[in-house]
């Protein structure tokens, strides 16, 4: 599995690929946990309807410094995964590449110098800005 | 199912997830202050609103379908024995359906259950 | 330059003798314009005849000397030592292939995957034309341009050795075979679309690519396999969709007025 996490001395798209996997797994883990914690609104696994007491108990766990730090991290990885995902869809539909053409020395790959490369930076910067915003909201 | 059909589903759920998660994040802190967004009254009114409740349910299904299919992709690229592939395909499907069912139960109970 | 040396740290491994690979260092006198292959040939001729290394043309045409140099897949013959960071040069066999000995890897399965991509024109209407041609297939210059870059592949294996999916997925055809599949799907003379689509649109087919792009970063000929694979994905989606555009297929044969293809009456 080392090949998935070995982006040494290659291209930024390889980093984007590794991040996309890691953030995807992180978001899935959070979503499953979030479906668990939101169920406290109806009293947890054995509840029967909206319950103020159960919801307050649930919030007492999630509304903590640790809970808020997790939320900020989730915002960071969700925004990255989303923007980078849009880049991948556009790339896989081949719409943000130049047409193929006869290659010339020094043979720089066109697919790695197209608009898609800028979108990786949009994803990184967007994710950091969103995390800073939510951090100011939740931790500030 | 053809692999391209699954991939098409992955793209469609991706685009829907970007839109719905975007709305969800905006409603949980930007357009509605965070403290209010998690208050019991506010959450109850969201679940009881037909449109908002339906959007939450769609968000649940879309994100889980996308996420578990992504997990399947990672796992089948990891090992390739026939039993592993078959096991992964079934396990991921069952896990996705079970999580969807549990989340849907929350949405239905929150929308229709007796408040206590 | 005179009197300077470069140290090659070469990973040695003989599967029939050794339990695990070991690294051996060799000091080679540096010459102006020296490539890693030149240094390896010096090691083999002067320092250790037992070093196994495969090479032929020495000019990036044959694709024999693919290896990992300073952690990155490159052709030894077109890698100048002066272009590498100062210090010892780490030389290892390519990843994702079984090692025959030292720097020589087994490319048999790699070539089998190339063959499985059906790297030749498939014709339904005039199959005999391929064996005894009576003319040439009509094709516009723009149509040639749409796939010509993918014909520059020299099958060196650098792309498949750098691909993260290929590092774990033993059934993945790899960037080389997939970009060749696209090269023939984009060819207006080809009529094998259905069979080609069945092969690439499979569980361990084109969708196991996630555009990490390293194949294109290491390709020594500008083939840009990643571009070919993304265009292949578009082609598959378009062919599977009722609204997709269909390409012109089965370019007609233009009879040679001079008789056979050598122009002899």
């Amino acid at each position: 599995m080392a090949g998935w996490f070995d982006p040494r001395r290659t291209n930024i798209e390889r980093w984007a690929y590794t991040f996309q996997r890691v953030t995807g797994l992180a978001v899935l883990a959070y979503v499953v946990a979030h479906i668990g914690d939101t169920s406290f609104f109806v009293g947890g696994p054995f509840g029967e309807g909206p319950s103020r007491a159960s919801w307050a108990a649930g919030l007492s766990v999630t509304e903590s410094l640790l809970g808020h730090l997790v939320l900020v991290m989730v915002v960071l990885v969700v925004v990255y995964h989303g923007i980078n995902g849009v880049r991948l869809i556009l790339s896989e539909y081949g719409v943000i590449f130049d047409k193929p053409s006869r290659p010339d020395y020094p043979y720089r790959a066109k697919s790695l110098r197209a608009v898609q490369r800028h979108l990786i930076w949009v994803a990184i910067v967007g994710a950091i800005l969103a995390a800073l915003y939510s951090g100011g909201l939740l931790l500030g | 199912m053809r692999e391209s059909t699954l991939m098409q589903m992955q793209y469609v759920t991706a685009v829907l997830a970007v839109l719905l998660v975007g709305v969800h994040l905006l409603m949980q802190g930007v357009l509605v202050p965070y403290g209010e967004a998690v208050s019991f009254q506010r959450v109850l009114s969201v679940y009881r609103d037909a449109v908002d409740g339906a959007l939450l349910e769609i968000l649940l299904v879309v994100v889980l379908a996308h996420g578990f299919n992504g997990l399947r992709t990672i796992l089948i690229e990891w090992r390739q024995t026939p039993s592993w592939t078959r096991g992964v395909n079934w396990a991921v499907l069952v896990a996705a359906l079970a999580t969807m069912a549990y989340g849907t139960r929350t949405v239905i109970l929150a929308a229709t259950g007796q408040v206590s | 330059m005179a009197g300077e040396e470069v140290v090659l740290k070469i990973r040695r491994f003989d599967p029939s003798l050794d339990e695990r690979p070991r690294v051996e260092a060799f000091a080679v006198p540096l010459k102006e314009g020296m490539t890693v292959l030149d240094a390896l040939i010096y090691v083999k001729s002067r320092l250790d005849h037992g070093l196994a290394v495969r090479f032929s043309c020495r000019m990036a045409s044959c694709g024999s000397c693919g290896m990992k140099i300073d952690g990155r897949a490159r052709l030894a013959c077109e890698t100048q030592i002066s272009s590498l960071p100062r210090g010892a040069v780490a030389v290892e066999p390519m990843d994702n292939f079984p090692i025959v000995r030292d720097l020589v890897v087994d490319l048999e399965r790699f070539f089998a995957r190339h063959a499985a991509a059906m790297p030749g024109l498939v014709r339904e209407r005039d199959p005999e034309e391929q064996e005894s041609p009576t003319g040439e297939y009509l094709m516009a210059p723009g149509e040639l341009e749409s796939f010509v870059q993918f014909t520059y592949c020299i099958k060196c294996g650098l792309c498949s050795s750098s691909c993260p999916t290929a590092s774990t997925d033993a059934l993945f055809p790899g960037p080389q075979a997939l970009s060749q599949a696209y090269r023939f799907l984009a060819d207006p003379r080809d009529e094998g679309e259905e069979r080609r689509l069945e092969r690439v649109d499979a569980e361990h087919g084109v969708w196991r690519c996630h555009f990490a792009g390293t194949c294109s970063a290491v390709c020594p000929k500008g083939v840009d396999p990643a571009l070919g694979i993304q265009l292949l994905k578009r082609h598959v989606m378009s062919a599977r969709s009722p609204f997709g555009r269909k390409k012109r297929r089965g370019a007609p044969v233009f009879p040679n007025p001079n008789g056979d293809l050598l122009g002899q009456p």
Side-chain angles (χ1 to χ4, degrees), chain C residues 1 14 20 88 90 105 134 148 161 189 204 224 244 251:
Chain C
M1 182 83 39
D14 184 343
R20 58 178 66 85
V105 295
T134 59
V148 71
S161 82
R189 300 166 297 179
H204 293 277
D224 201 349

Side-chain angles (χ1 to χ4, degrees), chain A residues 1 4 21 25 28 31-32 34-35 38-39 41-42 44-45 47-52 55 59 63 68 71 78 82 86 89 92-93 133 137-138, chain B residues 7-8 11 14 21 29-30 34 38 40-41 43-44 47-48 60 63-64 67-68 71 74 77-78 99 102-103 105-106 109-110 113-116:
Chain A
M1 219 194 319
W4 296 357
R21 299 219 131 173
L25 290 173
L28 180 62
V31 165
V32 172
H34 188 47
I35 289 166
T38 50
S39 77
F41 187 75
V42 295
E48 283 156 6
S51 154
R52 278 193 175 81
W55 185 236
L59 287 186
E63 297 307 300
H68 285 174
L71 281 183
V78 159
V86 169
I89 294 177
E92 298 191 3
Y93 271 92
Y133 180 85
L137 220 59
L138 291 166
Chain B
M7 206 59 206
Q8 192 69 268
Y11 291 147
V21 171
V30 181
Y34 180 74
V38 293
F40 185 83
Q41 274 313 319
V43 176
L44 186 67
Y47 277 125
R48 300 250 148 148
L60 172 86
V63 168
L64 286 176
F68 276 103
L71 178 65
I74 293 176
E77 285 172 18
W78 185 27
T99 326
Y102 188 71
R105 186 199 72 115
T106 303
L109 282 182
Q114 183 75 41
V115 179
S116 63

Side-chain angles (χ1 to χ4, degrees), chain C residues 124-125 128 137 141-142 239 249 262:
Chain C
E124 308 290 342
R125 65 181 84 172
E128 69 289 348
Y137 300 114
R249 303 225 75 88
L262 295 171

Side-chain angles (χ1 to χ4, degrees), chain A residues 38 50 98 102:
Chain A
T38 50
D98 291 340
R102 204 177 287 272

